[in-house]
Amino acid sequence: MDTEIRPLDGVRVLELGNYVAAPTAGRILGDFGAEVIKVERPETGDELRNWRLYGGDTSMLYRTVNRNKKSITLDLRTEAGRRIVLELIGKCDVLLENFRPGMLEKWGLGPEVLNAANPDLVITRISAYGQTGPLSQRPGFAAVAEAVGGLRELVGDPDRPPVRVGVSIGDSIAGIYAAFGTVMALFQRERVRPVPLEQRIIDVALNESILSVMESLVPDYLAYGINRERVGGRMEGIAPSNAYPTGDGYSIIIGGNGDAIFQRYMQVIDRPDLAADPELQDNAGRWRHRDRLDASIAEWTRLRTRDEALKVLEAAAIPCGPIYTAADIVTDEQYKARNMIQPFRVDVGEAEPKEVGFPGIVPVIGGQSLPIRNVGPDLGEHTREVLSGLLGMSTADIDALEANS
């Protein structure tokens, strides 16, 4: 399968990003065939290498987010490092970065300079609040963006302070938008040339990325004066849909909010009276009576094990599912069937490398996830390959560069 044709074969990306957002965009581009050259600081590299590091010298988080890439080390604080970046830019299609706005310009690597080095270059920039506007110079991680974008206020139970989703969802969403924007710019470049520089700059803000997935949060406020609030495991205005406890100590998710589904659902839990209740014939009515509905459903689920409840619900075509942990995911037949857990032998700090499963490539092309070519590389693993192969630098020149970094 490694001979599969990938849509972005032949595209070369220079990634100057750290942490999660820009590297996620680079990962997606690399997943589908782009050659992604990740530039890291000498000695320390991307800080993600040490996040959630339980053993070895490189975290599984780094290995996951930076798969299908090459790692080179350059010190962008030095003139030599910046010169090599400009030389590499001349041989790339995309520059991907997530520094604070103005940092590239401070280093003499602003869009105009990059454009002079490569007039076809797509420049994808990710920052907390975007490259323009009164907050553009303010630093910010995804945690802040998730709050400013409106997400944090809606996560958790109404009687407690807001909580955070357990992954860097703001960074990941921004990375997806950055990858999409990059591919759009590459597509436009193939249709229209020359493309003006301003049309080749993709400006992704973390807070705007969050806002864009907040559905009708803002229109509902402006149209009706509605300020949405936290509703725990529910979804505002949609019922019944929640997590329900089972008799063996688990919880299951059941979404019975469609009108026709609701009718079948109530028959399954032996509550035809609720199915016939005039107050419960549409979502608006069911939402008003959500507490009563959830209590009735929980009475039914508590009398059954997780597997028993799911079997009955699935037989009636009621959308439902278990709440998976990592242990559940790695044994799930659906994930296996679509090649969504792919094994690699990696260093985990033990005497021998260990076989570790990594999440597959999304979206699926050809019925199964494309194979991951490599997990996140060791720091500087490809420095000599890239600098000698692309720039023709001699061994002595590379040695001198590394000695001065």
Side-chain angles (χ1 to χ4, degrees):
M1 284 192 64
D2 201 38
T3 58
E4 292 278 355
I5 296 174
R6 294 173 172 83
L8 297 179
D9 280 341
V11 172
R12 183 177 290 129
V13 179
L14 192 67
E15 179 188 300
L16 303 183
N18 292 305
Y19 302 113
V20 178
T24 292
R27 186 209 77 197
I28 294 170
L29 299 173
D31 282 349
F32 292 99
E35 178 188 4
V36 181
I37 301 169
K38 181 179 180 67
V39 177
E40 301 189 66
R41 292 180 296 248
E43 298 185 4
T44 58
D46 188 335
E47 290 186 36
L48 214 63
R49 289 182 177 275
N50 296 307
W51 286 17
R52 296 201 289 274
L53 177 60
Y54 304 115
D57 59 9
T58 302
S59 70
M60 295 304 108
L61 178 58
Y62 177 91
R63 298 285 193 199
T64 301
V65 175
N66 291 287
R67 70 189 185 199
N68 291 331
K69 299 179 186 178
K70 297 176 179 179
S71 169
I72 69 172
T73 55
L74 290 174
D75 190 345
L76 299 185
R77 297 169 300 179
T78 67
E79 183 177 343
R82 295 191 293 269
R83 185 186 69 249
I84 290 173
V85 164
L86 284 176
E87 290 182 33
L88 288 171
I89 284 298
K91 300 181 181 298
C92 290
D93 300 283
V94 177
L95 175 78
L96 178 60
E97 64 98 357
N98 64 342
F99 296 112
R100 190 188 302 187
M103 185 59 72
L104 282 188
E105 288 81 353
K106 179 181 177 181
W107 285 336
L109 296 172
E112 291 76 14
V113 176
L114 298 172
N115 190 59
N118 183 347
D120 283 329
L121 185 71
V122 173
I123 304 170
T124 300
R125 315 187 74 174
I126 306 177
S127 59
Y129 299 100
Q131 302 295 316
T132 60
L135 298 184
S136 61
Q137 298 302 308
R138 183 178 294 181
F141 279 172
V144 178
E146 290 160 21
V148 175
L151 176 64
R152 184 68 70 93
E153 178 63 20
L154 299 187
V155 182
D157 293 310
D159 59 343
R160 302 179 187 182
V163 298
R164 190 178 186 188
V165 175
V167 294
S168 298
I169 192 72
D171 283 321
S172 296
I173 291 173
I176 294 169
Y177 274 117
F180 176 60
T182 299
V183 171
M184 283 198 303
L186 291 171
F187 182 69
Q188 182 185 36
R189 195 182 70 174
E190 293 303 308
R191 301 174 70 199
V192 179
R193 287 199 181 187
V195 179
L197 172 60
E198 60 271 17
Q199 294 296 315
R200 286 182 280 112
I201 298 175
I202 306 302
D203 181 0
V204 179
L206 295 177
N207 68 309
E208 293 167 355
S209 298
I210 290 295
L211 176 62
S212 72
V213 297
M214 293 307 297
E215 301 175 350
S216 61
L217 177 74
V218 169
D220 284 345
Y221 169 72
L222 294 175
Y224 311 116
I226 298 296
N227 253 323
R228 285 183 57 185
E229 300 176 349
R230 293 184 296 287
V231 290
R234 295 163 169 159
M235 177 66 71
E236 180 80 27
I238 296 173
S241 180
N242 210 335
Y244 302 95
T246 59
D248 53 351
Y250 294 99
S251 291
I252 59 174
I253 299 295
I254 311 173
N257 44 286
D259 291 348
I261 293 172
F262 177 74
Q263 295 297 317
R264 299 197 305 274
Y265 189 8
M266 294 302 100
Q267 299 299 329
V268 164
I269 69 168
D270 303 318
R271 293 300 302 269
D273 57 311
L274 296 176
D277 189 332
E279 288 288 315
L280 305 178
Q281 299 308 302
D282 58 23
N283 250 311
R286 293 192 293 269
W287 179 250
R288 288 193 298 272
H289 296 275
R290 58 192 178 275
D291 290 335
R292 177 160 64 102
L293 280 171
D294 279 349
S296 299
I297 295 164
E299 286 179 8
W300 183 84
T301 58
R302 284 194 183 97
L303 297 177
R304 290 157 180 82
T305 66
R306 178 176 70 171
D307 290 346
E308 288 169 348
L310 291 174
K311 183 177 180 179
V312 173
L313 292 163
E314 289 168 0
I318 310 299
C320 63
I323 298 175
Y324 270 3
T325 65
D328 297 310
I329 291 170
V330 298
T331 59
D332 182 83
E333 292 302 321
Q334 178 68 19
Y335 285 123
K336 285 183 180 180
R338 288 167 64 84
N339 198 31
M340 276 298 158
I341 304 295
Q342 301 185 23
F344 284 82
R345 290 185 65 79
V346 294
D347 174 30
V348 296
E350 299 176 359
E352 296 292 334
K354 183 177 181 179
E355 186 171 278
V356 175
F358 289 82
I361 293 173
V362 177
V364 162
I365 297 176
Q368 283 193 333
S369 168
L370 291 171
I372 300 168
R373 301 191 299 286
N374 61 276
V375 293
D378 293 336
L379 179 60
E381 181 179 341
H382 304 93
T383 301
R384 292 180 178 274
E385 172 193 328
V386 170
L387 298 187
S388 62
L390 282 184
L391 303 185
M393 290 180 64
S394 67
T395 299
D397 287 340
I398 297 173
D399 287 343
L401 177 70
E402 291 181 341
N404 293 323
S405 295

